[in-house]
Amino acid sequence: LFVRRAGLLYALVENVQGCANRLNGATKSFMDILLEFFEQELPEMVWRLDSLNAANYGLAQSRNRVFLQGLRRDVKSSVPAPLPAFEPVSLRDFLKPGLPPTPRDSLTKTMQTNLKNYEGLVRQKKKDGTIPRGSLAVFELDRAFGKTYNPSMTLDMSPCLKTQLRYLFVVSTDDVDLADGQREFSRWILPFERLSLQGVAPDVALTMRAGGTRGEGHRDPFWHFDLMAEEGTF
């Protein structure tokens, strides 16, 4: 209707990477089927399917998304290719330096154990030479070793930020053997930093209050952010 009666010139469909995966032996993914449908039903349009990662376009976040673009043939005979990848950015550019470490006794017992296990993994990888000097490690602190959801550690970027992914902890790897207070980073990634990692300008992100409620026993990083904002830490 929009194409044939309203003169639609361009269309964009965006979704998670899983839509382009062929699962359980399927010969086609959801996006394959959608592309075939559009090509058959809308011959007035040309289509292009791309998988792009935010980490290649100015954000220190591993976020893959699939983009299906359509363009009227009387505008252009093919959909232009995406921009080439930008220069890599540093996770440090999105984090506020010099903040105090998160006290370990403010974490749940399970999270304290998970943090120790992640730190052990960092030490092992440093010993193996698989962590470059100067790296920052980001842990999903609510994921435990040997449980249903596998532990997740990323280097020098955040994992894909999702609504439920609240418990991201950053540790500087060069000084992981020092006491927490002597490390460059040993703390939660805070909500305003998460906003920056999603493309919100840092000066704007700092003016936005975190959502959610204060967690029992100072355990919720959103509570930690609210408290620091009230005390004028930033």
Side-chain angles (χ1 to χ4, degrees), residues 1-10 44-45 72 74-75:
L1 179 64
F2 284 113
V3 172
R4 292 172 180 162
R5 295 191 180 181
L8 182 70
L9 299 180
Y10 174 81
E44 301 92 340
M45 309 278 284
R72 288 190 73 96
D74 53 8
V75 174

Side-chain angles (χ1 to χ4, degrees), residues 78-220:
S78 62
V79 178
L83 293 173
F86 300 172
E87 288 293 321
V89 293
S90 170
L91 178 59
R92 282 182 174 82
D93 295 338
F94 297 83
L95 302 179
K96 185 175 178 66
L99 295 183
T102 296
R104 297 199 179 219
D105 61 7
S106 72
L107 307 176
T108 65
K109 294 296 184 183
T110 298
M111 287 184 176
Q112 291 180 43
T113 299
N114 292 347
L115 179 54
K116 288 181 180 179
N117 289 336
Y118 277 120
E119 289 170 333
L121 180 62
V122 167
R123 293 185 181 99
Q124 183 59 52
K125 288 184 174 292
K126 286 182 63 178
K127 184 178 179 181
D128 296 341
T130 55
I131 291 185
R133 287 187 58 82
S135 295
L136 298 180
V138 178
F139 312 138
E140 295 184 32
L141 215 53
D142 56 340
R143 292 196 172 195
F145 288 72
K147 300 298 182 180
T148 302
Y149 296 101
N150 293 326
S152 170
M153 181 179 79
T154 55
L155 291 177
D156 297 318
M157 69 175 61
S158 80
C160 181
L161 295 173
K162 304 183 287 289
T163 303
Q164 69 271 30
L165 192 61
R166 302 178 71 181
Y167 299 105
L168 293 180
F169 202 92
V170 59
V171 167
S172 42
T173 61
D174 284 358
D175 50 17
V176 71
D177 291 318
L178 300 180
D180 293 352
Q182 297 176 291
R183 298 180 184 181
E184 181 186 7
F185 288 99
S186 182
R187 61 170 178 83
W188 296 117
I189 291 181
L190 300 174
F192 76 91
E193 294 168 329
R194 293 169 63 101
L195 289 170
S196 293
L197 285 163
Q198 294 178 81
V200 178
D203 57 336
V204 175
L206 274 168
T207 68
M208 302 175 70
R209 288 293 297 240
T213 58
R214 297 184 172 184
E216 179 185 355
H218 305 193
R219 294 171 183 169
D220 191 331

